[in-house]
């Protein structure tokens, strides 16, 4: 063993001045229990400590100031030789190696396990020289992320006024005049939307946020202002609700998430409720339509003659159930007109109300932008049946082709060929439209998927093929189909689930690679009937010129 180097008086004075460092014998690895009591003053943040004068293998104990849970950060800067740095407990037990063999600079950070924890610096070469610095100590109570400055200039200005002792009254008066959400300019032609709620006790959640999630609003200090800002494209259109004081419940994450529906309602300060007349605010949404949002064809009142609606019960032996079917005949409908097209739409309740499909067809047919369209609205019966039948159910596709189409011919007298027959739906309905057309292209040669649920796959799908429809299209021979897909820019992935935007883009690309006739459009919106009422009209207008193509 190398004999210990003799320390110079200058080195000893440097190390021991003020009792900062206490020399201890050379330590094996891990360090043995230390019997030397900690020397005050303890090492704390804000100062640099020189390390020198040790023989090879010699160690210095540097007791730490602080309490359990404190976060400490520091740096070991070596100017000569090599050093090792360990953290040991008050009884000498090794806790962790912070720096193994440092010849230059090493940064470290750790949590103080208990008062009395000690740093042990070991020289790995004779006459080694270094400086140890503890640059930060953050008590557990202060370990919080910094408050992010508000994105919204209006909210930042309000925060400054509140800090000067003002109240929120003038702010709310202005908001009441302008309506919500706040709309402010942002870089690159974007807009900054700030959703607001007043006076909630515990929390506020935004149902229908541009993030595609149900975001929590933040409280501005201890004021009555709750807010959340989003950068969005200038052509955004969306609907939303606010859920104040969502109850915190036991149960599954899904059950706790669903609790927001107990308080979700229209924003009382929004000037564009939808529908305009509703039994109460809980059955109403608020809407945002920025000036650059695309026009929605067929929604403006035109005075076009109205078509006729008729509903009848329809029993399916194949599926073993009974549902309502509603038929729309356009004004002056002639079942023998060779221009006729047949549109089969899923989710009848939504597509007769939130998406006023008959009125849209009335207007676009009267304007000559669509041929005469006979529309059939298929009831989903109930949520459980919808979730079972619409996602890629072969029996549902066969029911449509073999049972429903003959009944529609019998009811209307119109025999419309597959080339002019269109399946359409949104979400699971969009998935059903595409999968049914793929299964029965001899009956349905056109499909419209609005925000189709193309993330879906059956339980027995291979692990490497989670996007079932895209995988099926890639593997199977191409069918003679025309398709129109659309998706919202806010329909991105969350957690482990693929998003509708990305899976729609992927399916579009796979279809095109296989030679399918595909049109595609994206909207600055989310999973939203407010968007789909325009997207359906856009899809029909995109398909109409192609119905007679070979």
């Amino acid at each position: 063993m190398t004999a210990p180097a003799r320390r110079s008086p200058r080195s000893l004075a440097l190390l021991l001045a003020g009792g900062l460092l206490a020399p201890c014998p050379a330590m094996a690895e891990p360090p043995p229990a230390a019997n030397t009591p900690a020397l005050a003053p303890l090492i704390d943040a804000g100062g640099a400590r020189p390390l020198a004068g040790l023989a090879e293998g010699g160690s210095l104990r540097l007791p730490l100031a602080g309490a359990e849970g404190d976060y400490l950060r520091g740096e070991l800067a070596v100017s000569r030789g090599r050093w090792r740095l360990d953290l040991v407990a008050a009884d000498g037990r090794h806790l962790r190696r912070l720096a193994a063999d440092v010849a230059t600079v090493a940064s470290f950070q750790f949590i103080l396990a208990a008062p009395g924890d000690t740093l042990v610096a070991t020289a790995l070469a004779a006459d080694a020289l270094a400086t140890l610095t503890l640059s930060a100590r953050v008590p557990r109570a202060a370990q919080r992320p910094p408050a992010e400055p508000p994105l919204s200039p209006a909210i930042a200005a309000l925060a400054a006024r509140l800090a000067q002792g003002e109240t929120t009254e003038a702010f709310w008066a202005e908001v009441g005049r302008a309506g919500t959400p706040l709309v402010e300019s942002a870089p690159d032609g974007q807009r900054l939307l700030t959703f607001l709620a007043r006076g909630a006790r515990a929390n506020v959640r935004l149902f229908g946020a541009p993030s595609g999630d149900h975001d929590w609003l933040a409280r501005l200090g201890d004021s009555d202002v709750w807010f959340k800002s989003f950068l969005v494209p200038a052509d955004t259109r969306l609907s939303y609700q606010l859920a104040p004081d969502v109850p915190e419940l036991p149960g599954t994450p899904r059950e706790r998430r669903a609790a927001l529906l107990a308080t979700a309602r229209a924003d009382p300060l929004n000037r564009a409720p939808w529908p305009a007349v509703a039994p109460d605010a809980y059955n109403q949404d608020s809407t945002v339509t920025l000036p650059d949002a695309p026009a929605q064809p067929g929604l403006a009142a035109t005075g076009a003659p109205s078509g006729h609606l008729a509903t009848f019960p329809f029993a399916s032996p194949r599926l073993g159930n009974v549902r309502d079917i509603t038929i729309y005949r356009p004004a002056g409908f002639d079942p023998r007109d060779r221009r006729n097209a047949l549109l089969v739409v899923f989710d009848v309740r939504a597509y007769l109300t939130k998406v006023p499909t008959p009125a849209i067809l009335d207007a676009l047919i009267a304007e000559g932008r669509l041929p005469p369209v006979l529309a059939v609205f298929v009831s989903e019966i109930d949520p459980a049946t919808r979730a079972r039948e619409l996602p890629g159910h072969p029996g549902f596709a066969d029911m449509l082709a073999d049972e429903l189409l003959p009944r529609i011919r019998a009811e209307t007298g119109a025999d419309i060929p597959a080339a002019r027959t269109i399946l359409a739906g949104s979400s699971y309905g969009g998935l059903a439209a595409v999968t049914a057309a793929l299964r029965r292209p001899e009956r349905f040669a056109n499909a419209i998927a609005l925000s189709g649920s193309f993330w879906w796959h059956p339980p027995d799908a291979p692990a490497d093929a989670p996007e079932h429809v895209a995988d099926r299209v890639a593997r199977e021979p191409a069918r003679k189909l025309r398709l129109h897909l659309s998706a919202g820019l806010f329909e991105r992935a969350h957690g482990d689930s693929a998003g509708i935007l990305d899976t729609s883009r992927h399916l579009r690309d796979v279809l095109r690679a296989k030679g399918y006739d595909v049109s595609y459009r994206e909207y600055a919106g989310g999973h939203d009937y407010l968007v789909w009422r325009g997207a359906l009209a856009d899809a029909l207008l995109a398909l109409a010129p192609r119905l007679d193509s070979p």
Side-chain angles (χ1 to χ4, degrees):
M1 177 180 290
T2 304
R6 183 181 299 273
R7 296 186 180 91
S8 69
R10 180 177 180 277
S11 297
L12 289 174
L14 182 64
L15 293 171
L16 301 177
L20 293 175
L21 308 177
C24 69
M27 294 167 50
E29 184 181 340
N35 297 317
T36 307
L39 299 179
L42 304 178
I43 301 297
D44 201 356
R49 301 293 183 263
L51 307 176
L54 296 181
E56 180 180 354
S59 298
L60 294 170
R61 296 178 63 252
L62 295 85
L64 295 163
E68 179 184 350
D70 286 0
Y71 167 82
L72 292 101
R73 182 173 66 245
E75 179 182 273
L76 179 64
V78 177
S79 53
R80 187 169 62 239
R82 304 188 328 278
W83 288 82
R84 183 175 68 225
L85 187 65
D86 293 285
L87 180 67
V88 301
D91 60 4
R93 288 178 296 107
H94 177 82
L95 297 176
R96 65 181 294 181
R97 173 72 37 87
L98 298 174
D101 189 348
V102 183
T104 54
V105 178
S107 298
F108 58 88
Q109 50 276 315
F110 59 93
I111 300 296
L112 196 64
D117 285 358
T118 299
L119 293 176
V120 176
T122 302
L124 300 180
D127 203 23
L129 181 64
T131 300
L132 179 71
T133 304
L134 280 181
S135 55
R137 180 172 67 84
V138 183
R140 176 179 287 173
Q143 293 171 20
R144 298 187 302 272
E148 295 185 4
L151 288 175
S152 164
I155 297 298
L158 174 61
R161 293 196 300 272
L162 293 177
Q164 295 172 1
E166 296 186 26
T167 70
T168 63
E169 292 303 319
F171 171 79
W172 286 119
E174 177 57 30
V175 168
R177 289 188 290 270
T180 52
L182 300 180
V183 182
E184 298 169 282
S185 296
D188 301 323
Q190 298 184 98
R191 298 294 182 268
L192 188 65
L193 289 186
T194 300
F195 296 85
L196 296 167
R198 186 177 191 182
R201 296 185 305 276
N203 59 63
V204 183
R205 203 160 190 179
L206 177 60
F207 188 37
S211 66
D213 203 356
H214 306 327
D215 288 85
W216 297 99
L217 274 62
R219 189 174 185 178
L220 185 60
D222 59 358
S223 74
D224 61 351
V225 177
W226 295 77
F227 72 98
K228 180 72 175 182
S229 298
F230 301 88
L231 283 170
V232 300
D235 57 349
T236 289
R237 175 183 276 116
L238 60 83
S239 66
Y240 71 96
Q241 289 185 319
L242 295 175
D245 296 316
V246 178
E248 289 287 351
L249 303 174
T252 66
R254 182 179 180 86
E255 290 169 340
R256 297 180 65 197
R257 185 181 178 91
L260 72 87
L261 297 175
T263 68
R265 50 168 293 162
D267 178 352
L269 294 172
N270 179 273
R271 298 294 182 80
W274 178 56
V277 178
D280 52 60
Y282 297 94
N283 289 279
Q284 194 174 49
D285 292 317
S286 300
T287 68
V288 177
T289 302
L290 295 185
D292 291 346
Q296 296 189 310
L299 287 177
T302 62
S306 298
H308 174 71
L309 292 174
T311 300
F312 60 87
F314 172 72
S316 167
R318 186 180 299 272
L319 296 177
N321 55 28
V322 179
R323 72 188 74 228
D324 283 342
I325 299 295
T326 298
I327 298 179
Y328 160 88
R329 295 174 176 85
F333 178 68
D334 179 358
R336 296 165 297 179
D337 192 334
R338 295 176 64 87
R339 299 174 302 149
N340 289 340
L342 174 61
L343 172 66
V344 180
V345 185
F346 307 123
D347 295 320
V348 59
R349 296 180 184 89
Y351 280 87
L352 290 178
T353 55
K354 291 184 175 182
V355 179
T357 310
I360 293 171
L361 294 175
D362 288 340
L364 297 181
I365 293 169
E367 293 170 6
R369 302 177 69 184
L370 288 180
V373 177
L374 178 71
V376 176
F377 299 89
V378 180
S379 170
E380 60 274 31
I381 302 180
D382 54 45
T385 304
R386 181 180 188 274
R388 182 177 64 254
E389 292 183 346
L390 293 189
H393 192 303
F396 183 74
D398 292 341
M399 177 275 290
L400 296 172
D402 300 331
E403 297 175 349
L404 181 60
L405 286 186
R407 178 69 181 273
I408 298 304
R409 285 195 294 270
E411 293 284 337
T412 66
D415 189 6
I416 300 174
R420 301 186 66 81
T421 300
I422 307 166
L423 296 176
S426 52
S427 194
Y428 268 168
L431 173 66
V434 172
T435 54
L438 287 170
R439 180 173 175 82
R440 301 300 299 269
E442 80 284 3
R443 297 295 182 94
F444 310 108
N446 306 274
I448 293 171
L450 312 177
S451 300
S453 300
F454 298 121
W455 48 265
W456 174 86
H457 59 266
D460 59 351
D464 63 348
E467 296 177 37
H468 175 71
V469 180
D471 182 67
R472 177 180 170 185
V473 169
R475 292 174 181 273
E476 297 178 353
R479 275 75 165 170
K480 190 174 181 180
L481 294 176
R482 289 176 289 266
L483 302 104
H484 179 90
L485 312 180
S486 71
L489 295 178
F490 305 155
E491 297 185 282
R492 294 193 175 273
H494 292 285
D496 296 332
S497 177
I500 283 175
L501 178 61
D502 291 338
T503 54
S504 295
R505 288 173 173 174
H506 183 214
L507 178 59
R508 172 203 62 192
D509 295 344
V510 174
L511 286 165
R512 287 177 176 171
K514 293 286 288 190
Y516 282 88
D517 179 355
V518 183
S519 53
Y520 179 80
R521 185 162 178 179
E522 294 179 353
Y523 299 88
H527 206 67
D528 193 337
Y529 283 106
L530 187 72
V531 175
W532 296 335
R533 63 182 188 170
L536 177 63
D538 291 337
L540 291 170
L541 292 171
L543 279 178
R546 298 147 58 194
L547 293 178
D548 292 320
S549 62

